[in-house]
Amino acid sequence: NYPSHYASTPTASPDGRKFAAMGWDKLYVWDTAAWGKPARVACNGRRFTAIAFHPTRPICAAIQGGQTLVKFFDTETWKPVSKFQWKLG
């Protein structure tokens, strides 16, 4: 069962160990070996608009609040490890 009524941008890590989908207010990530309850990464008021796994490192990038903030998460703990913010135009 998916824990949200809204889902978009399903993606898998390059090694196939993680599967992620964006919900309305959280990022949901499953460990594909167990498929139990997903890890939930809160967006803290700025909805995720895109996600991508790094091809060789255990990092996931998530764009929040339009296209001005990118957060990088450790894919084992799902804690933010870095962020990058800029102004467009």
Side-chain angles (χ1 to χ4, degrees):
N1 286 340
Y2 182 69
S4 178
H5 296 291
Y6 173 84
S8 69
T9 317
T11 188
S13 62
D15 61 6
R17 293 179 53 222
K18 307 278 186 208
F19 178 80
M22 292 186 311
W24 186 253
D25 62 346
K26 291 179 183 66
L27 175 64
Y28 297 93
V29 186
W30 287 265
D31 179 346
T32 59
W35 288 106
K37 256 185 138 170
R40 296 174 181 184
V41 182
C43 66
N44 299 324
R46 294 183 76 180
R47 192 167 109 56
F48 293 116
T49 58
I51 56 172
F53 285 95
H54 190 280
T56 60
R57 295 180 59 204
I59 299 288
C60 181
I63 296 175
Q64 280 187 283
Q67 296 181 352
T68 61
L69 175 63
V70 178
K71 286 186 179 177
F72 300 93
F73 295 94
D74 177 298
T75 60
E76 296 303 318
T77 64
W78 291 101
K79 298 208 183 286
V81 293
S82 185
K83 70 179 178 178
F84 180 73
Q85 189 163 13
W86 69 93
K87 287 188 176 186
L88 295 176

